[in-house]
Amino acid sequence: MTDPFTTVATELPRDRWGRPLITPPGETEAVPYTRTTTFVGVLEDTYHLGQWQMRMVALGMAQRRDLQLAATAITNPKDRFQKRTLNDLAKAALEAASGSAAATMGTALHTFTENIDKGLPLGYIPEEFEPDIEAYRQITEGFTVVAIEGFCVNDALRVGGSYDRIMRVPVGGLVAPDGELVEGNVIWDLKTGGSIDAGLFGLNKIAMQLGVYGNSLDYDHTLGTRTPLPDVHPRWAIVCHLPARSGQAQLIWVDIAAGWEAASALAPGVHSWRKRKDIGTPFAAVTARPTATPIPEMIRRAASYAELKGIHAMHQDIWTPGLTALASVRKAELESTSS
């Protein structure tokens, strides 16, 4: 007989765009929250990423004759169906240039390290990953795993995401860049891209992402309940940079207090600004000048030459020679009256 008290793991529900469906506090209906990486991504400088993607697409197109031929068949790139076809061709070209290979290897390495931290057997390890696994074991020596792949939400911002780890630092603590002795738990993130020599790009975004995690609550989607994170350090988090197939690893301090300040103060405004739909108005929709008095009558009533000039300045885009004649007559009348 099935144990009624056994918890069955279920996937976090998401909408068709991949956004997590979260039940807000005090409500009964689940609503989509923004993914944390998407939320903080509005402040990321994507220039270099875009340049890299264009290079990969160019290389992929050069390698695939079929993609070249398919692209030449596009006659109207503005057509929504042909635009979709071009998008698919660009993705295929990116794949042909191994544009996603690094991400795939990174996912595999994430899985290996997660199994290590869970104490699970690794099974077969490809030879090319063995130095990476050893580097990870060495650099995490002394750390204690507190939580793995926890999903958390920040209800004020309506965002949610999964942190890689919460780790307890080695006994005796670690000295942070500001000289503080960090003890206890820290948010821990694993990055497998780039190289040790080139460093880790996108640290500003990483700081914001981890800053949001550090100011979130663990979320149980089966019950809709929230619990505090296990007392993580409010300022400092650690990124473990483990480039795939490098056999090297390094730890990087990340100031998540600064990241949280940017994420909470700047990102919401950027998102709101991007949603504004009332900035531009077609010229034809502009309401006519709010005046009930015809221009000729305004000219006849003008009490001074300065007022006449003001009427002309206000209506010069529709001014006619006839109005000029009327204004000349009124100017003469004003001059004779003043004399």
Side-chain angles (χ1 to χ4, degrees):
M1 186 174 70
T2 304
D3 183 354
F5 301 108
T6 299
T7 300
V8 179
T10 59
E11 290 288 332
L12 177 76
R14 297 179 181 272
D15 67 8
R16 59 176 176 159
W17 291 286
R19 297 178 299 182
L21 295 173
I22 307 298
T23 303
E27 300 183 22
T28 57
E29 295 290 330
V31 299
Y33 273 29
T34 303
R35 286 176 290 189
T36 303
T37 51
T38 302
F39 179 76
V40 301
V42 294
L43 301 179
E44 182 184 18
D45 183 355
T46 60
Y47 174 78
H48 292 291
L49 174 62
Q51 293 290 301
W52 175 82
Q53 288 178 328
M54 287 194 294
R55 291 194 298 271
M56 292 299 102
V57 169
L59 288 174
M61 291 296 290
Q63 296 170 16
R64 292 276 299 272
R65 179 61 176 163
D66 59 319
L67 298 181
Q68 298 171 25
L69 292 173
T72 61
I74 299 297
T75 57
N76 182 12
K78 293 184 179 180
D79 175 79
R80 65 188 184 97
F81 295 108
Q82 295 194 34
K83 186 185 297 183
R84 187 181 305 164
T85 300
L86 276 176
N87 289 339
D88 293 338
L89 291 175
K91 290 178 182 177
L94 185 64
E95 178 65 30
S98 299
S100 63
T104 303
M105 287 190 292
T107 300
L109 193 51
H110 265 268
T111 301
F112 282 130
T113 59
E114 184 177 330
N115 288 340
I116 289 173
D117 292 337
K118 288 180 177 178
L120 300 176
L122 298 185
Y124 170 73
I125 302 176
E127 184 177 346
E128 59 186 325
F129 282 140
E130 289 180 354
D132 298 335
I133 299 300
E134 181 58 28
Y136 184 75
R137 290 186 189 278
Q138 290 182 13
I139 207 161
T140 55
E141 187 174 350
F143 286 88
T144 304
V145 180
V146 177
I148 299 176
E149 291 291 333
F151 186 85
C152 57
V153 296
N154 183 293
D155 294 300
L157 299 178
R158 292 217 165 186
V159 299
S162 298
Y163 52 80
D164 286 343
R165 309 280 194 278
I166 293 177
M167 292 281 214
R168 183 175 297 113
V169 303
V171 176
L174 298 171
V175 179
D178 62 351
E180 178 186 0
L181 181 65
V182 175
E183 299 178 290
N185 302 329
V186 293
I187 297 285
W188 170 286
D189 199 49
L190 179 68
K191 298 299 181 187
T192 58
S195 68
I196 293 293
D197 293 336
L200 187 61
F201 290 105
L203 277 172
N204 286 12
K205 180 182 179 181
I206 293 170
M208 289 188 290
Q209 179 183 347
L210 303 187
V212 172
Y213 293 157
N215 288 272
S216 296
L217 298 172
D218 272 320
Y219 178 75
D220 183 342
H221 68 276
T222 62
L223 302 174
T225 56
R226 294 150 173 81
T227 55
L229 268 62
D231 194 25
V232 297
H233 196 278
R235 179 174 184 185
W236 296 109
I238 296 176
V239 169
C240 178
H241 188 202
L242 181 69
R245 298 191 301 181
S246 71
Q248 302 179 73
Q250 68 176 157
L251 301 182
I252 302 171
W253 287 107
V254 178
D255 186 342
I256 61 172
W260 169 245
E261 182 180 1
S264 59
L266 300 178
V270 175
H271 280 283
S272 296
W273 171 252
R274 289 186 173 184
K275 292 177 182 178
R276 289 282 298 270
K277 304 297 183 185
D278 59 342
I279 303 302
T281 304
F283 191 84
V286 176
T287 305
R289 289 184 182 84
T291 176
T293 305
I295 297 175
E297 185 63 25
M298 294 172 66
I299 293 174
R300 295 188 186 97
R301 294 179 183 178
S304 65
Y305 178 57
E307 187 176 343
L308 279 175
K309 291 176 66 176
I311 295 170
H312 174 263
M314 184 180 298
H315 301 90
Q316 58 182 331
D317 55 332
I318 57 173
W319 199 261
T320 65
L323 295 175
T324 299
L326 283 176
S328 297
V329 171
R330 183 55 182 161
K331 177 185 176 183
E333 292 174 350
L334 290 170
E335 289 175 344
S336 64
T337 301
S338 61
S339 61

